[in-house]
């Protein structure tokens, strides 16, 4: 049982390049979400999904796309990387609504992205 | 709207001192969940506790204790007899029952415990 797996762990991009950060969970969790962590700002929600085929914007969605074609996977796409997107990105999952939501959120180990 | 405020940016204590990390939250939901996470220097997020809004009983786990007060919208975290290994960034977070897909974090408090 791997939990939440994020790849890659580190990435350097040039301005204007695109890439996809991968996130997969094997816990059959209904909900998944992406956060970015910047110094002094905590973790801010980028996008989240409450089930396959359903996504919604969080606090800082600009410059990012997501899709949820399966329960297991929730990739985050940077369309045209900018230096302001230099950050640490975390993916999380949780079981979903109802009593199972009490189980809490499981986080991946993070992806450190640098845009030069 | 949801909001979590951790007013203490950095705290420095000497080992064996007690330390309290403050967390104040805002929400319009009557049912919600509060969390504390620890982020050690290695960078991973470690789950510490979840508290439901309908359960105001305080909790103690070893040297850790949590004080939940709905009247003041606070969920404070106390470490008793701090140790160097407690040095980390601590985050308080809020999730509303109406949409548990969203977890809103505070800015975090960096705790440094000196030997």
């Amino acid at each position: 049982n791997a939990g939440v797996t994020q790849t890659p762990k580190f990435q350097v991009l040039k301005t204007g390049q695109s890439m996809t950060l991968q996130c997969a969970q094997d816990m059959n969790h209904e909900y998944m979400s992406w956060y970015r962590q910047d110094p002094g700002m905590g973790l801010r929600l980028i996008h989240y999904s409450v089930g396959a085929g359903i996504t919604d914007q969080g606090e800082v969605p600009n410059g990012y796309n997501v899709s949820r074609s399966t329960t297991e996977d929730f990739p985050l796409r940077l369309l045209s990387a900018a230096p302001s997107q230099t950050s640490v990105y975390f993916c999380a999952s949780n079981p979903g609504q109802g009593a199972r939501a009490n189980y809490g959120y499981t986080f991946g180990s993070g992806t450190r992205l640098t845009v030069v | 709207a949801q909001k979590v405020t951790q007013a203490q940016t950095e705290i420095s204590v000497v080992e064996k001192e007690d330390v309290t990390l403050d967390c104040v939250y805002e929400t319009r939901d009557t049912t919600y969940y509060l969390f504390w996470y620890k982020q050690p220097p290695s960078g991973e997020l470690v789950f510490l506790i979840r508290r439901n809004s309908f359960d105001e009983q305080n909790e103690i786990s070893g040297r850790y204790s949590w004080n939940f007060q709905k009247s003041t919208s606070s969920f404070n975290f106390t470490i008793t007899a701090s140790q160097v290994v407690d040095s980390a960034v601590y985050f308080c977070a809020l999730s509303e029952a109406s949409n548990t897909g969203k977890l809103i974090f505070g800015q975090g408090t960096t705790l440094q415990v000196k030997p």
Side-chain angles (χ1 to χ4, degrees), chain A residues 12-18 80-84 114-116:
Chain A
V12 178
L13 286 179
K14 293 183 178 179
T15 298
Q17 285 185 317
S18 62
S80 178
S84 60
T114 302
V115 183
V116 298

Side-chain angles (χ1 to χ4, degrees), chain B:
Chain B
Q2 301 166 276
K3 186 177 181 181
V4 177
T5 301
Q6 295 178 255
Q8 304 151 308
T9 304
E10 294 184 14
I11 300 175
S12 181
V13 300
V14 177
E15 207 170 19
K16 297 185 182 177
E17 285 186 15
D18 299 347
V19 58
T20 295
L21 310 182
D22 297 333
C23 173
V24 175
Y25 62 92
E26 296 177 25
T27 177
R28 293 177 180 169
D29 272 27
T30 55
T31 302
Y32 50 90
Y33 309 99
L34 295 163
F35 302 81
W36 276 96
Y37 284 87
K38 174 182 180 180
Q39 187 177 45
S42 53
E44 74 271 23
L45 285 159
V46 179
F47 169 78
L48 295 178
I49 190 172
R50 181 207 74 250
R51 172 60 65 206
N52 305 332
S53 57
F54 45 85
D55 179 4
E56 292 193 63
Q57 187 174 7
N58 291 326
E59 184 158 339
I60 298 174
S61 176
R63 296 185 296 107
Y64 295 171
S65 62
W66 290 270
N67 183 2
F68 175 37
Q69 292 196 341
K70 283 179 88 168
S71 61
T72 55
S73 297
S74 65
F75 186 43
N76 296 337
F77 173 32
T78 297
I79 302 174
T80 303
S82 60
Q83 299 176 1
V84 172
V85 294
D86 295 326
S87 297
V89 182
Y90 291 86
F91 291 100
C92 180
L94 165 71
S95 176
E96 295 174 333
S98 59
N99 188 354
T100 55
K102 297 174 65 175
L103 184 62
I104 303 302
F105 284 82
Q107 302 91 320
T109 297
T110 300
L111 174 65
Q112 183 182 27
V113 181
K114 299 178 181 177

